[in-house]
Amino acid sequence: RNYDMIMLTKLNNTKIVLNCAQIESVELIPESKILMTNGKFYIVKEDAEEIIAKTIEYNGKVHGYHFDHSDR
């Protein structure tokens, strides 16, 4: 079984690790409200772009992809 985990930061600076394969959507409120497929949600400091980048980076490590981040 593959667990696609990314580390994010809650508003109280507590680190949490979420299964990015279970993220259904990210709502910007202006923080990021992450809605999971099980109906639970988490509010984190990272913006949507950073959450997407962490997910892509994690999946790249798991699947052996290499991403060129020189344009950031």
Side-chain angles (χ1 to χ4, degrees):
R1 192 169 180 186
N2 183 16
Y3 294 98
D4 299 323
M5 308 300 279
I6 58 172
M7 185 175 296
L8 300 170
T9 310
K10 293 169 62 172
L11 296 183
N12 65 1
N13 291 321
T14 301
K15 297 287 186 182
I16 59 170
V17 179
L18 294 179
N19 183 336
C20 58
Q22 299 297 312
I23 294 174
E24 184 172 309
S25 64
V26 178
E27 180 181 346
L28 306 176
I29 57 171
E31 302 86 2
S32 296
K33 178 179 178 181
I34 301 176
L35 179 62
M36 307 300 286
T37 57
N38 65 3
K40 293 184 179 182
F41 68 88
Y42 300 91
I43 302 198
V44 299
K45 291 183 173 185
E46 291 81 2
D47 61 22
E49 290 80 15
E50 190 171 353
I51 295 166
I52 292 166
K54 285 178 179 253
T55 301
I56 291 169
E57 182 178 337
Y58 178 82
N59 284 325
K61 287 178 185 176
V62 168
H63 300 293
Y65 303 139
H66 173 74
F67 296 97
D68 180 10
H69 297 290
S70 61
D71 62 337
R72 285 186 172 179

